[in-house]
Amino acid sequence: MTTEQHVIEQLSQYRQKKARIQALSTYSVGAGITVSRLNEDDQLQELHGRLRGLPTYMYLSKQEQELETVAHAYMSSYPAGVKAQKQAVPAQVMDPEDTGLLQELRRKVQKVIAARGYDVRDGIEAIIERLTELQDLQAEVDRIDFLLTTLEEYRPNDAELLRLIYADGVEIPVIADKLQLTERTISRRRRVAESEYINLAR
């Protein structure tokens, strides 16, 4: 698949992604808490932001420093996304002692969730998977919205056409009637609009 095809495929999945976000947002992790609330109320990220830049010995115990060391030992990169971070630090490695430390990290995360009053009904893995999917989808939808808004600033007609087709799911004949244009003209303008959108997304 070419870059151009990939960009348009992402755009064409806009409504599907929005629907999935809505479904994930209502998934309950227990105690009346939804995945959406868990995403919005991420105190762990807030704490990390406050501690960033400080030497770890100032806020980690000796054991926690060992956990940090072994986690970093198995990270080939330091990504920002939740999903990428989860993939960067394996749950099991060749060294049994290191595996034990990595598993302890997972248990600590589970304790934090429990301490915040969340009943981990389906286990931490299920919650992480849903939270990760929600965050990834939201980032993709936000990106599409940003590109369409940017396009609207200098080619408003193109942005309007793409929103009608992809965001609102309006059929071409209906759009043609709405804009008082022929379907052939709409198709031609659509190709131009998609080309402009692709250039922005590169």
Side-chain angles (χ1 to χ4, degrees), residues 1 4 13 25 74 83 94 108 135 150 197:
M1 180 183 297
E4 290 81 2
Q13 293 171 352
S25 296
Y74 292 97
K83 187 172 185 178
M94 294 295 292
K108 281 183 174 291
Q135 292 175 332
T150 303
Y197 180 87

Side-chain angles (χ1 to χ4, degrees), residues 107-120 124:
R107 288 193 294 273
K108 281 183 174 291
V109 173
Q110 182 134 6
K111 286 181 181 178
V112 169
I113 292 176
R116 289 164 64 178
Y118 304 147
D119 174 21
V120 187
I124 189 172

Side-chain angles (χ1 to χ4, degrees), residues 43-112:
Q43 297 174 3
L44 289 177
Q45 288 191 11
E46 181 182 343
L47 175 63
H48 181 265
R50 291 202 306 268
L51 297 177
R52 188 179 299 143
L54 292 177
T56 56
Y57 69 80
M58 293 182 66
Y59 57 89
L60 295 182
S61 67
K62 183 178 179 181
Q63 173 67 9
E64 289 170 334
Q65 289 180 55
E66 290 181 9
L67 292 175
E68 181 194 41
T69 299
V70 73
H72 288 315
Y74 292 97
M75 293 179 70
S76 58
S77 62
Y78 298 88
V82 176
K83 187 172 185 178
Q85 288 173 353
K86 182 168 177 272
Q87 293 172 340
V89 182
Q92 187 169 5
V93 294
M94 294 295 292
D95 188 313
E97 183 177 351
D98 287 352
T99 294
L101 289 171
L102 290 170
Q103 291 298 331
E104 185 175 342
L105 276 173
R106 285 177 168 271
R107 288 193 294 273
K108 281 183 174 291
V109 173
Q110 182 134 6
K111 286 181 181 178
V112 169

